[in-house]
């Protein structure tokens, strides 16, 4: 599934998991779908290590296409996993 969304912010995230402290960069993404089928909640997308090197600090207010392969609840948020397919307006 592919989602087109606007990146609202990029935040560092830390939590203690089963194997100890987990640190990651999380994008908060708002669905950019037009019309009544738009998701009302903000999604969170965790950057992979490769994506951190390529995109870290460059995605605020950019429109991205996410290839989503997993959707889960993480606290009060919907968290998606997959990959960034494309970024509009990034050189």
């Amino acid at each position: 599934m592919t989602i087109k969304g606007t990146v609202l912010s990029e935040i560092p995230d830390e939590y203690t998991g089963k194997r100890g402290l987990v640190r990651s960069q999380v994008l908060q993404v708002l669905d950019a779908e037009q019309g009544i089928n738009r998701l009302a909640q903000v999604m969170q997308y965790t950057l992979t290590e490769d994506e951190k090197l390529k995109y870290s600090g460059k995605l605020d207010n950019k429109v991205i296409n996410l290839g989503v392969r997993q959707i889960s609840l993480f606290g009060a948020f919907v968290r998606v996993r997959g990959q960034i397919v494309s970024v509009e307006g990034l050189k």
Side-chain angles (χ1 to χ4, degrees):
M1 172 170 70
T2 304
I3 296 173
K4 184 176 183 178
T6 303
V7 178
L8 300 177
S9 63
E10 181 179 339
I11 55 173
D13 186 31
E14 288 186 0
Y15 63 92
T16 303
K18 293 178 184 176
R19 298 180 184 154
L21 185 64
V22 177
R23 291 185 178 150
S24 58
Q25 287 294 109
V26 175
L27 300 179
Q28 294 200 330
V29 180
L30 184 62
D31 188 2
E33 176 76 27
Q34 299 296 319
I36 61 171
N37 295 324
R38 182 176 178 178
L39 184 63
Q41 298 148 305
V42 173
M43 297 172 282
Q44 290 188 338
Y45 174 75
T46 304
L47 292 173
T48 63
E49 291 300 320
D50 292 338
E51 290 171 340
K52 278 186 205 178
L53 295 173
K54 189 173 181 180
Y55 298 119
S56 187
K58 300 177 183 176
L59 295 177
D60 280 349
N61 298 316
K62 300 285 188 215
V63 175
I64 62 174
N65 288 310
L66 290 175
V68 176
R69 69 173 179 269
Q70 181 181 5
I71 301 172
S72 59
L73 292 176
F74 192 81
F77 295 98
V78 173
R79 189 162 278 188
V80 297
R81 289 182 183 234
Q83 65 181 359
I84 296 175
V85 176
S86 64
V87 180
E88 294 180 15
L90 186 66
K91 295 180 181 180

